[in-house]
Amino acid sequence: MMINQIEQEKNKWDRLFKAELNLLSINFRLFPCAFWELYYREIREYINKLLNQSIEFPANILEVGCGSGKGSFLLKGNINRTLVDISTEALNLSRFFARKLNINKGVKYIRASLFDLPLQNNSFELVWNAGTRSEEHTSELQSRQY
């Protein structure tokens, strides 16, 4: 049952992210409207504050359910980014944004479900996400040590 649900989620996000990439390939805009610009500014400021207060650089960060990866790409500092998403098209969109934002080093892309992350414990200073909505997903992340 869980596998079918995961596959359905993957297919849904693949369709959405593929459509977004197609649109951005024609008419690129980092933020489609002022709401999203403010949204990402607040995320960036909050996470940068966390990074600057408690982490020595270079930092290894993990964004699970990365979607476009934009949130991680907008962070400043010497950061190695690992972006994980169940959607192949989300990772394609992330690569697109990395190119547009000229982030060429320190990025690793992994297609995986957060229920089965192929990562070692204690390998990240910060694990975060901004778009995984399910309480079940969030509690799964909180129960592990990455």
Side-chain angles (χ1 to χ4, degrees):
M1 177 102 149
M2 177 66 91
I3 293 173
N4 189 31
Q5 181 182 1
I6 291 170
E7 190 62 29
Q8 287 176 359
E9 285 289 314
K10 179 198 173 305
N11 292 337
K12 175 181 82 172
W13 290 112
D14 275 345
R15 284 190 305 278
L16 290 170
F17 287 119
K18 185 174 186 173
E20 185 175 350
L21 181 56
N22 288 336
L23 289 173
L24 288 171
S25 296
I26 296 167
N27 183 23
F28 177 73
R29 293 186 318 173
L30 185 57
F31 305 109
C33 66
F35 168 82
W36 288 111
E37 186 172 359
L38 177 61
Y39 174 83
Y40 279 105
R41 182 180 339 144
E42 289 182 6
I43 288 173
R44 181 182 66 237
E45 288 173 359
Y46 179 76
I47 294 177
N48 279 333
K49 184 178 177 182
L50 286 176
L51 288 170
N52 289 328
Q53 286 177 348
S54 60
I55 295 175
E56 292 185 29
F57 291 94
N60 295 308
I61 66 166
L62 169 64
E63 184 180 1
V64 180
C66 67
S68 70
K70 203 182 312 182
S72 287
F73 294 139
L74 293 172
L75 299 175
K76 63 182 179 180
N78 188 1
I79 300 171
N80 296 309
R81 299 160 176 90
T82 299
L83 305 178
V84 176
D85 206 290
I86 195 169
S87 167
T88 303
E89 296 299 330
L91 297 175
N92 289 338
L93 182 60
S94 295
R95 288 180 184 95
F96 174 83
F97 273 107
R99 285 190 302 273
K100 289 291 188 179
L101 296 170
N102 203 26
I103 297 175
N104 304 312
K105 294 192 272 183
V107 182
K108 183 176 182 181
Y109 303 92
I110 300 173
R111 195 192 79 71
S113 164
L114 69 86
F115 295 110
D116 190 23
L117 293 172
L119 303 168
Q120 294 179 344
N121 287 347
N122 301 315
S123 52
F124 298 95
E125 284 77 31
L126 176 71
V127 177
W128 76 285
N129 76 54
T132 305
R133 297 175 292 186
S134 167
E135 185 177 295
E136 185 177 270
H137 290 84
T138 305
S139 65
E140 176 72 17
L141 276 178
Q142 291 171 347
S143 70
R144 298 183 181 187
Q145 295 181 354
Y146 294 105

